[in-house]
Amino acid sequence: MNELNLNNLTNDFPLLNKLMALEEVVWFNPNVTTLDQGLPYVGLDDKDIHDASLRLQRFAPYLAKAFPETQLSNGIIESNLVDIPTMKTALEAYYQLPIKGRLMMKKDSHLPISGSIKARGGIYEVLTHAEKLAFEAGLLSESDDYSKLLEPEFREFFKQYSIAVGSTGNLGMSIGIMSAKLGFTVSVHMSADARAWKKNKLREHGVNVVEYEQDYGVAVEQGRKEAEQDPSCFFIDDENSKTLFLGYSVAGDRLKQQFEQQQIVVDKAHPLFVYLPCGVGGGPGGVAFGLKMAFGDHVHCLFAEPTHSPCMLLGVHTGLHDEIAVQDLGIDNLTAADGLAVGRASGFVGRAMERLLDGYYTLTDERMYQLLGQLNQAEAIKLEPSALAGMPGPIHVEHNTEYMTRLGIDDSTLSNSTHLVWATGGGMVPEQEMAMYLAKSSI
Ligand SMILES: *Cc1c(COP(=O)(O)O)cnc(C)c1O
C-alpha cells in the first residue's frame, strides 16, 4: 500500500491511527444484523454443523481408544465450562470498574489431545480427510465401528498419503498429533514465533517439522507450495477451510447443553457475551457461527486481538478483509500471543461472519501477561498469554453506553447477563515455560 492510499484510508477510518500507534482500541460494529439477515452470507447452515457433529460421533469410539485421555468423555473432545468469580473481583479491582454480569470461562485451553481450541477444527479436518480416503478405498462405511481404524492395515493404508499445514504452533500440534496417530506422513510448516517445546513435542510424535524464519503467512505459503508438488499430499488451509470452520462450530450446540445442565438461561432478558481470541479467524469464527446457530440473537460475540496483530479488526473495519495486512500499516505482527500472530485475516471468515460479530478490541502483550498472573492467583487456572485476550471483554461491553443503548440492554438486564471468556490454549505448556510466563506478570 503506497503512502497516498494509506492517507486516504486513515481519513476514511480514523480508528486506524490508533491501531498504528499500537493503542488498545475497541470497535463495536454498527452494521451488525440479526441472524436471519446475516446467515445467507455465511453459506453454511444447521445441517452442515449437524453433519460435523455426526462425523465426530462416528469417530468417538476410535478416539476413546487412540487417546485414553478422551475415555471419560467416550471419545468426545470437549472442555469444561466454569465460573470464575474470584477473577471477576480481581478484574473489577484491576480496571477500577464494576462488572454486573456473571463471569465464566470455557476451558478449550484444556481440551484433550492438543490442549488448545485447535483440538476442535484441526482434528476434525484430519478425521474428515481420513474418512473420505477410507470410504473411497472401500475400507470403511458409516455404520462401522470406527475403532477398527486402530488396526495395522489402516496405518499402512494412510501411510501412502501425506498431510501438510502451516502453523504458528497450536494448529500444527492438533493436525500433527492426529495425523501421525492415524498413520499419515505429516509435515508441519512452523513460523518463527512457534515455541521450541511445541516443535519438540511434534517431533516426538514422528511429525516432520519444517522451520521458517518468517511469520505465519510465509509458513503457510511454503507449506501450500510443497503440497502442490505432491498429488498424495493434502494441504490443510487454515485461511480458507470450511471444514476447519465446521469443526469449530460444533462447540455451539455443546455449549448450549452445558448451559442447560448448569441451568443458565440465555434469552432476551439474559444475554450472553462471548469473547474469542482471534488469529486468522477460523477458530473464533467457527465457534461464533455455532454459537449464533445455538443461541440466536441473544448471544453477542466479540473478537480480541493483540495490538501488534489486529488483522481481523483491520479487515472488517475497512471492508478490505484479506486485501490488507497489518504490515501495510507498518504494524510489525510481533506478539507473544501464540496463535494470534497473524498479519492478514482469513477473507472467508471475515466476509462470512462480519454481520454476526458485535465487536472487536485489541490488547497489549503486557496486559495479557498481567491477566495471566491474576487468573492464576485468583482461580489457579494456568493459560498461555493468547488465551487471556478475552478477559477485558466484559469491561468493554458493560461500560460502552452507546453499544448497550443500541442493544437495548439496561442495568438490570446486565445483572442477568453472562460473560464467557473463551480460553483458547495453555493446558499443555511445560511447567518451566509457564514459570516464565508467570514471571512476566507483576502479581
Ligand atoms: C489459533 C489460536 C487462536 C485463534 O484461532 P484462529 O483460527 O487462528 O483465529 C486463539 N488462541 C490460541 C491459543 C490459538 O492457538
Side-chain angles (χ1 to χ4, degrees), residues 32-296:
V32 291
T33 66
T34 61
L35 176 60
D36 281 350
Q37 290 169 314
L39 193 55
Y41 296 90
V42 184
L44 299 164
D45 59 24
D46 259 340
K47 189 182 168 301
D48 298 305
I49 301 179
H50 187 63
D51 283 349
S53 178
L54 290 180
R55 180 166 293 110
L56 288 167
Q57 278 169 34
R58 290 197 292 277
F59 274 98
Y62 164 75
L63 291 172
K65 285 189 184 142
F67 299 99
E69 67 266 38
T70 66
Q71 251 168 31
L72 261 177
S73 57
N74 298 317
I76 295 296
I77 302 166
E78 195 42 75
S79 68
N80 291 339
L81 168 70
V82 297
D83 256 309
I84 46 170
T86 314
M87 184 62 193
K88 178 177 154 175
T89 310
L91 261 188
E92 291 176 314
Y94 177 58
Y95 282 99
Q96 296 281 295
L97 287 168
I99 299 172
K100 293 196 171 71
R102 177 175 182 177
L103 185 62
M104 301 192 82
M105 176 172 273
K106 181 68 175 153
K107 288 175 75 180
D108 275 13
S109 47
H110 292 73
L111 278 172
I113 303 179
S114 62
S116 83
I117 187 172
K118 302 297 190 316
R120 297 185 184 277
I123 288 174
Y124 176 70
E125 178 140 16
V126 174
L127 297 179
T128 304
H129 182 59
E131 188 184 56
K132 178 173 166 280
L133 291 174
F135 280 179
E136 283 169 3
L139 294 171
L140 186 71
S141 75
E142 278 194 17
S143 55
D144 285 348
D145 175 349
Y146 278 28
S147 49
K148 80 188 228 191
L149 291 166
L150 286 163
E151 288 163 15
E153 75 168 284
F154 277 96
R155 288 189 56 83
E156 282 305 310
F157 171 68
F158 290 128
K159 218 167 89 183
Q160 315 163 67
Y161 298 94
S162 56
I163 290 182
V165 67
S167 170
T168 63
N170 287 336
L171 185 65
M173 290 263 284
S174 292
I175 286 171
I177 293 171
M178 189 65 247
S179 305
K181 182 68 93 179
L182 281 161
F184 286 107
T185 308
V186 52
S187 296
V188 176
H189 298 259
M190 288 273 206
S191 53
D193 53 312
R195 310 269 165 187
W197 70 266
K198 290 183 182 173
K199 297 178 193 168
N200 293 340
K201 196 165 196 95
L202 282 174
R203 290 190 172 114
E204 281 165 25
H205 279 85
V207 175
N208 173 32
V209 177
V210 190
E211 299 180 66
Y212 294 90
E213 281 174 22
Q214 296 95 339
D215 77 356
Y216 164 85
V218 174
V220 171
E221 258 346 283
Q222 288 304 316
R224 197 193 305 271
K225 265 192 204 145
E226 232 184 85
E228 274 166 7
Q229 288 160 9
D230 176 0
S232 73
C233 183
F234 179 63
F235 178 71
I236 295 186
D237 186 348
D238 195 14
E239 290 170 327
N240 299 295
S241 169
K242 293 192 174 150
T243 309
L244 269 179
F245 187 83
L246 285 171
Y248 292 114
S249 72
V250 172
D253 210 46
R254 303 247 188 100
L255 184 75
K256 193 174 181 180
Q257 287 170 32
Q258 290 180 319
F259 267 52
E260 280 164 9
Q261 279 156 13
Q262 300 195 27
Q263 296 176 335
I264 304 165
V265 177
V266 178
D267 59 19
K268 190 167 172 34
H270 304 80
L272 168 63
F273 297 93
V274 183
Y275 309 100
L276 295 146
C278 178
V280 73
V287 168
F289 174 54
L291 290 171
K292 281 301 209 186
M293 297 305 278
F295 295 101

Side-chain angles (χ1 to χ4, degrees), residues 291-322:
L291 290 171
K292 281 301 209 186
M293 297 305 278
F295 295 101
D297 292 325
H298 308 306
V299 63
H300 304 277
C301 300
L302 282 88
F303 282 10
E305 295 176 294
T307 49
H308 285 253
S309 309
C311 65
M312 189 61 81
L313 198 172
L314 176 63
V316 174
H317 187 70
T318 59
L320 292 172
H321 297 291
D322 55 352

